[in-house]
Amino acid sequence: MWIFGWKGPSGFSASSTAEEVTQGIDGSAFTAIVTGASSGIGVETTRVLALRGVHVVMAVRNADAGQNVKESILKEIPSAKIDVMELDLSSMASVRKFASQYQSSNLPLNLLINNAGVMATPFMLSQDKIELQFATNHLGHFLLTDLLLETMKRTARETNIEGRIVNVSSEGHRVAYSEGIRFDKINDESGYYTWYAYGQSKLANILHAKELARRLKVRNTVQIP
Ligand SMILES: NC(=O)c1ccc[n+]([C@@H]2O[C@H](COP(=O)([O-])OP(=O)(O)OC[C@H]3O[C@@H](n4cnc5c(N)ncnc54)[C@H](OP(=O)(O)O)[C@@H]3O)[C@@H](O)[C@H]2O)c1
């Protein structure tokens, strides 16, 4: 639980800005993917990473919106290194296409910021016939991470710099269904409640991060904070 203004061991609090926490960091050796970089937290993450010299690949489902964000950041930071690539996390085919294109680009990958999300949507199924919030917020990012993991490990080995995978979750993870994740009822419309389904998907983000951290710490190549 965060308390606004309360500083943790890092010296920062929930009210610290991205510029404050990255002050003095030279990110010019890093390449990052930010999902959902066309609005909200994703835009600010992209802007501040670019400000610190990181090469940012904006992974967005609306390429025009992504291009507009890129141009507005370039006006402020003319030296920014930003690319825009299309990614629809609610479609496994799109996630596979994105990962394949990324691998073909031969770009390194130091930071994967799994930020995109939909919140408290009415019951809908994705193209793959999976409940939309679970499909977008968790499964799309799970698959993306899995497909890009070798690229991250290779980058970490070649540069001797640990990678970072950030799953942007939410306090909403505390408000899931009473069973937590309804593995046997993910796609059931009966009993669907918009906020519980959001909380379920955000809980899955945290469990994914925890298990990845456990597995990757053993290998000591890529860590999750
Ligand atoms: N804002 C908050 O108070 C808050 C609190 C806790 C956690 N969070 C988490 O923070 C993250 C970012 O939230 P935000 O507030 O910045 O929301 P936002 O402004 O609505 O941005 C969400 C981003 O996700 C993208 N997105 C949605 N569905 C997608 C899909 N199928 N494929 C690819 N991209 C998709 C959106 O693209 P379009 O622009 O095309 O719609 C948008 O760029 C989310 O994971 C959210 O759960 C937010």
Side-chain angles (χ1 to χ4, degrees), residues 12-192:
F12 298 109
S13 74
S15 59
S16 300
T17 66
E19 287 201 25
E20 284 166 356
V21 300
T22 58
Q23 189 68 46
I25 291 177
D26 176 6
S28 55
F30 303 131
T31 303
I33 291 175
V34 180
T35 70
S38 54
S39 77
I41 294 168
V43 172
E44 183 64 357
T45 304
T46 301
R47 185 186 74 80
V48 176
L49 287 176
L51 183 67
R52 303 303 177 215
V54 176
H55 179 180
V56 185
V57 176
M58 299 173 61
V60 296
R61 64 175 166 177
N62 180 333
D64 289 341
Q67 204 58 39
N68 288 340
V69 169
K70 173 182 168 176
E71 280 160 23
S72 73
I73 294 175
L74 279 171
K75 276 190 194 143
E76 180 197 333
I77 313 161
S79 60
K81 284 177 282 179
I82 301 177
D83 292 313
V84 178
M85 285 178 65
E86 269 186 63
L87 168 67
D88 181 349
L89 285 154
S90 69
S91 154
M92 294 202 194
S94 172
V95 174
R96 289 186 188 284
K97 187 173 169 196
F98 175 91
S100 159
Q101 286 175 341
Y102 195 86
Q103 280 149 357
S104 303
S105 74
N106 283 323
L107 282 172
L109 184 56
N110 305 93
L111 308 164
L112 173 59
I113 303 187
N114 290 324
N115 160 75
V118 285
M119 186 169 70
T121 51
F123 183 83
M124 278 181 270
L125 293 178
S126 70
Q127 287 176 36
D128 304 305
K129 306 268 182 290
I130 299 166
E131 188 280 311
L132 191 70
Q133 297 191 76
F134 198 73
T136 307
N137 300 354
H138 172 56
L139 288 181
H141 283 128
F142 181 97
L143 179 61
L144 181 70
T145 304
D146 194 53
L147 293 173
L148 293 173
L149 211 46
E150 276 314 311
T151 306
M152 294 198 76
K153 287 180 184 174
R154 194 176 60 243
T155 303
R157 276 194 304 271
E158 288 173 0
T159 58
N160 214 20
I161 303 170
E162 286 176 357
R164 288 287 185 274
I165 299 166
V166 179
N167 282 0
V168 179
S169 187
S170 165
E171 278 294 308
H173 80 278
R174 298 177 195 277
V175 192
Y177 295 100
S178 57
E179 316 92 292
I181 296 175
R182 303 200 304 175
F183 287 105
D184 55 344
K185 295 181 191 160
I186 293 285
N187 301 326
D188 279 8
E189 188 168 4
S190 66
Y192 178 84

